[in-house]
Amino acid sequence: MPFGVPGWKWKVGRFGYMMEKEPDCGEIKAKARDLLEKISKGATWRCRCGSLHIPLLIEGEIIGELWEDVEPGKVDIGAYRFGRWGTKVQLVKDGRVVGFIWLA
């Protein structure tokens, strides 16, 4: 498959990059919404520059982070991108990106 074929994405395989079928947008948003229902917030902390970090947990495993103190169930699903470790989905509140979660 040549680069840029609709419906396909690059994935890191055992021996380098390979292509696999890209999931549907609705499927990704539904999966993210399901995770947001099960999610809990971890311990809030600030880095040296003063920015807020709130880990998002499912069964003790960090699957994302918030940068503002908002309820995970009240955010909207934003844009997403495919990466080496899964799909990264933006969490949006009032038109601003306030965090992200990883879909495995």
Side-chain angles (χ1 to χ4, degrees):
M1 291 279 153
F3 183 74
V5 176
W8 290 86
K9 67 174 181 151
W10 289 102
K11 178 183 176 184
V12 177
R14 185 173 177 193
F15 300 107
Y17 286 96
M18 56 188 227
M19 291 192 77
E20 74 173 11
K21 192 80 170 143
E22 181 178 313
D24 182 39
C25 175
E27 181 182 323
I28 289 175
K29 289 188 176 194
K31 201 173 188 184
R33 184 60 54 200
D34 289 342
L35 283 179
L36 284 174
E37 291 174 3
K38 303 175 195 171
I39 228 164
S40 63
K41 294 197 287 189
T44 302
W45 61 280
R46 290 192 181 271
C47 67
R48 289 187 299 174
C49 65
S51 60
L52 182 70
H53 298 271
I54 304 169
L56 298 173
L57 309 167
I58 289 185
E59 297 176 4
E61 182 180 344
I62 296 174
I63 65 152
E65 185 173 72
L66 288 173
W67 304 304
E68 292 183 15
D69 194 11
V70 296
E71 285 302 314
K74 299 192 190 269
V75 296
D76 296 323
I77 306 299
Y80 61 90
R81 70 172 178 87
F82 302 105
R84 187 175 192 167
W85 296 280
T87 304
K88 186 176 183 178
V89 180
Q90 293 178 346
L91 303 176
V92 179
K93 180 74 173 177
D94 299 328
R96 292 187 330 265
V97 177
V98 295
F100 69 92
I101 57 173
W102 285 103
L103 304 178

